[in-house]
Amino acid sequence: MAQLQLTGIDCTACATKIEKNVNKMANVKSCSVNFTTQKLNYELTGQEAVTEFEQQLATLLPTIEPDVGIQQSPTPEPSPAKHAINYDLIRILVSSLGLAISYLVPLSAPAKTTLLLAAFVVIGYDIVWTAIKNILHGEWFDEHFLMSIATIGAFGIGQYAEAVGVMLFYQVGEYFQSLAVNHSRRSIANLVAIKPTIANRLAADGTTEVVAPEAIQVGEHIVVKPGEKVPLDGVITTGDSYVDTSAITGESVPRAFHPGDELLSGTINQSGLLTLEVTKPYADSTIAKILDLVENASSQKAPTENFITRFAKVYTPIVVGIAAIMAIVPPLLFGAPFGDWLYRALIFLVISCPCALVISIPLGFFAGIGTASKNGILVKGSNYLEALNDVQTVVFDKTGTLTQGSFSVTTVHSVDQQPDELLALAALVEQHSTHPIGQSILAANQTPLTKTLSDVQETAGHGISGQLNGQLLQAGKASWLQASGIATLTPSEVGTSVHVAYNNRYLGYIVIADTVKPDAQTAVAQLKHAGIHQTIMLTGDNQPVAQQVSAVLGIDKYQSELLPQDKVAAVAKLTEDRATNGKIVFVGDGINDTPVLARADVGVAMGGLGSDAAIEAADIVLMSDEPTKLTTAISIAKYTRRIVWQNIIFALVVKGIFLLLGAFGIATMWEAVFADVGVTLIAILNALRILKKH
């Protein structure tokens, strides 16, 4: 899906209107507009030139919203919104002066009326003109229409000063609302303002050239100086340094990095000079994915957001209908004063605008996603953030999630040969595996691997085999060898056992042990304290290891010796009993976890050392590989929901009170505008509190 940066979008209604009209354009398959980031995402139905679409869009946008346009340059320039704010400030001052003169200076009735009419035109002409254009496009029930009808109606019943004052108060509220929204945009942008802008390409002669990160190819070398951001993912070839990884992982303490360590883009080199071999192009780098995830996360709307959007579409027309009944029925049926009831109806129109809800709620969820990002947690949509509030069951993979995933050989039990010979044979076949267990065997082997295998085959969850001198060499689970008729020994040690056979003859087994992550026990305890009903561990490891790890961590239940498809089946079975298990989170890190990450209600991947496939399949990514980050994510989710519902209840209660006061003739238009603009501003400021969380 392609993307365009727009400028001048100052309300969610504008974004919705643009989205609706662009979707009507020929050859547009889909379109969505992100109000917070002012980005337009679109997909065309055919192979039409993108430039032609952009030209058509540039012509269409001013007819929908005059201040909205396509940003032509990636270089930040003074936006139309800033010019509009300054211009509006002048209009506010001029109109305020006119209103003040009408009160303070003795004027004839015609002169006073003319002055107030001029003040109204200065402050409200754009609102009225926008309302007329929207009506011509079939857009009736928006704030422009409501304010235009209310203030023009006030002029019609002789309330000239009040009409000007209400429009003035409304524009003052809009001015401060624009300041608040722009502040929130800057605050959220600062959370992800970690994009490197330069890279120092290292030439063969030792010289460096400053280029854009996008220009660097995989396999090239770059130099990262102290104080610079790491522009691309790579492996350190030379140099030692402390690196600030907080922008990616949320960790506040710098980490030491050495040759051979993988370094992620977006981190900051603090001390030594580093040379990196680039392992991923910029488009696939960690920093590019983070920016894309955070900026586009709000396209996946939470149920609360969707409800408010539907609610606003129904609520506003109903209130407008009630206002029309109030203006017509009492005078016609009961002989009540028409001017009095028209005034009450106009107040109803002003109050009915649902701006506080449709602006502050998406902003609240986006702030929650931004705050999670600041803490090294990438949430791919506000729907996933909200779903964390209803989680009752957390299911963990073991290796690399609750444990370090850095296995080490503890025992080599050989039947009739030297232990180092058995280890060398196992290493010969395991060198073709990427599994941590295989890598640990390779690390423990001290014998040079001079022989080669042919026809290497890996059976996921079972083992790996290959042909050595025309005979089958196998390394894997005992059950796998037993299925081939090979009898195995039963290890007495706790750990993962790799059994080895050659030419259908059993040679012995190797025991590999993993260590529990330092914060895993704390994470499980925190989850229970946060109200999670049950924790479950799924692992392909044997039963003694699974039992030991679950006992140490305080896991409620565990299942061992599972294949990848067994994990999917286990989670699927949990989802069948919603009454007991509620929403289910699965936390994993490996390629074999990808199917179950997609199957769970919320899939959480370990992003630091996790596989790319798992990160792609997950809904939430923990960049620091710390299980305790899950409880941080749940805490942010609950705080976000609390703020969002505070805004919903506050807005509805205040509007409800003022609707009643207006119906009984107690509330004035000034109070009605506060019930609209004032409540909106308060709700926005309340939503910004989420940015200060954690």
Side-chain angles (χ1 to χ4, degrees), residues 432-484:
H432 299 282
S433 173
T434 59
H435 196 281
I437 290 177
Q439 297 302 307
S440 67
I441 291 176
L442 278 174
N445 175 55
Q446 300 298 318
T447 305
L449 302 178
T450 57
K451 299 178 181 180
T452 58
L453 296 183
S454 61
D455 192 24
V456 177
Q457 297 182 6
E458 184 169 7
T459 305
H462 289 289
I464 189 168
S465 64
Q467 294 289 328
L468 174 64
N469 299 326
Q471 302 296 332
L472 185 64
L473 175 62
Q474 298 169 280
K477 287 186 174 181
S479 58
W480 186 51
L481 297 184
Q482 291 165 4
S484 301

Side-chain angles (χ1 to χ4, degrees), residues 241-247 249-257 263 267-271:
S241 180
Y242 282 94
V243 178
D244 179 0
T245 64
S246 60
T249 66
E251 294 177 287
S252 58
V253 180
R255 292 173 51 197
F257 283 80
L263 200 53
T267 56
I268 300 175
N269 182 22
Q270 290 196 325
S271 52

Side-chain angles (χ1 to χ4, degrees), residues 24-44:
K24 292 179 181 178
M25 292 176 64
N27 303 322
V28 174
K29 184 177 181 180
S30 64
C31 166
S32 63
V33 178
N34 187 325
F35 160 68
T36 314
T37 60
Q38 302 190 83
K39 292 184 184 293
L40 183 145
N41 299 290
Y42 68 92
E43 185 177 358
L44 303 180

Side-chain angles (χ1 to χ4, degrees), residues 278-567:
V278 176
T279 56
K280 292 180 182 178
Y282 177 77
D284 296 331
S285 67
T286 300
I287 187 62
K289 289 182 178 180
I290 289 176
L291 291 170
D292 179 68
L293 286 175
V294 175
E295 290 188 351
N296 296 308
S298 58
S299 62
Q300 301 289 332
K301 296 186 183 298
T304 304
E305 291 181 87
N306 291 325
F307 165 74
I308 290 300
T309 301
R310 294 192 300 269
F311 173 80
K313 289 181 179 179
V314 175
Y315 158 83
T316 305
I318 289 176
V319 176
V320 170
I322 293 173
I325 293 172
M326 287 176 59
I328 297 171
V329 173
L332 287 180
L333 297 185
F334 306 108
F338 176 74
D340 182 32
W341 283 95
L342 177 61
Y343 183 75
R344 298 185 188 188
L346 297 176
I347 292 172
F348 240 68
L349 291 177
V350 175
I351 297 171
S352 68
C353 185
C355 297
L357 299 175
V358 298
I359 291 178
S360 66
I361 290 171
L363 189 61
F365 279 109
F366 195 81
I369 291 169
T371 300
S373 173
K374 184 176 65 176
N375 284 272
I377 303 162
L378 301 185
V379 183
K380 296 185 180 180
S382 52
N383 53 334
Y384 305 122
L385 188 69
E386 185 164 41
L388 287 178
N389 286 275
D390 304 317
V391 169
Q392 296 182 24
T393 300
V394 175
V395 182
F396 291 99
D397 171 56
K398 180 182 75 70
T399 305
T401 303
L402 293 173
T403 62
Q404 297 283 11
S406 54
F407 293 85
S408 59
V409 173
T410 58
T411 305
V412 180
H413 194 290
S414 176
V415 175
D416 56 5
Q417 59 190 154
Q418 293 298 318
D420 58 343
E421 293 176 349
L422 177 64
L423 194 61
L425 283 172
L428 188 63
V429 68
E430 290 288 1
Q431 67 180 321
H432 299 282
S433 173
T434 59
H435 196 281
I437 290 177
Q439 297 302 307
S440 67
I441 291 176
L442 278 174
N445 175 55
Q446 300 298 318
T447 305
L449 302 178
T450 57
K451 299 178 181 180
T452 58
L453 296 183
S454 61
D455 192 24
V456 177
Q457 297 182 6
E458 184 169 7
T459 305
H462 289 289
I464 189 168
S465 64
Q467 294 289 328
L468 174 64
N469 299 326
Q471 302 296 332
L472 185 64
L473 175 62
Q474 298 169 280
K477 287 186 174 181
S479 58
W480 186 51
L481 297 184
Q482 291 165 4
S484 301
I486 301 172
T488 63
L489 297 175
T490 302
S492 58
E493 303 91 343
V494 174
T496 300
S497 299
V498 176
H499 297 260
V500 183
Y502 179 58
N503 192 23
N504 291 324
R505 184 170 65 90
Y506 184 65
L507 302 181
Y509 64 85
I510 301 167
V511 178
I512 296 100
D514 192 6
T515 55
V516 172
K517 287 186 175 180
D519 69 329
Q521 188 174 20
T522 303
V524 174
Q526 287 178 346
L527 287 172
K528 292 181 178 180
H529 185 264
I532 300 300
H533 290 183
Q534 62 177 339
T535 53
I536 301 172
M537 185 181 72
L538 305 180
T539 179
D541 218 331
N542 58 48
Q543 193 273 341
V545 172
Q547 183 180 30
Q548 182 189 46
V549 172
S550 63
V552 169
L553 298 181
I555 299 285
D556 297 321
K557 302 176 183 177
Y558 69 88
Q559 295 183 43
S560 59
E561 301 184 27
L562 299 178
L563 299 175
Q565 59 267 31
D566 297 330
K567 294 181 183 180

